[in-house]
Amino acid sequence: MVSVTITLDPVVAAFYKHVAELAQLPIETVLSDALYKLAGELSLEAMKKK
């Protein structure tokens, strides 16, 4: 598995930390899932433009 480090604005970090606590998941999982979903949405948009 590849390890990646990202820098988040404190407000964004607090938001994802809160979501993670509500979901009872590690913040890394919540961020990973959010980025994965965004990548899928961007891929679909890119395919539509062709």
Side-chain angles (χ1 to χ4, degrees):
M1 187 174 293
V2 175
S3 180
V4 176
T5 302
I6 60 171
T7 303
L8 297 174
D9 182 273
V11 174
V12 174
F15 169 77
Y16 280 107
K17 182 177 179 187
H18 182 68
V19 171
E21 289 170 355
L22 291 175
Q24 296 179 347
L25 294 169
I27 189 171
E28 296 86 357
T29 301
V30 173
L31 286 168
S32 173
D33 290 350
L35 289 170
Y36 187 78
K37 183 174 190 286
L38 176 60
E41 291 172 356
L42 292 173
S43 295
L44 288 175
E45 282 298 315
M47 290 172 57
K48 286 181 187 176
K49 292 181 180 179
K50 285 187 171 184

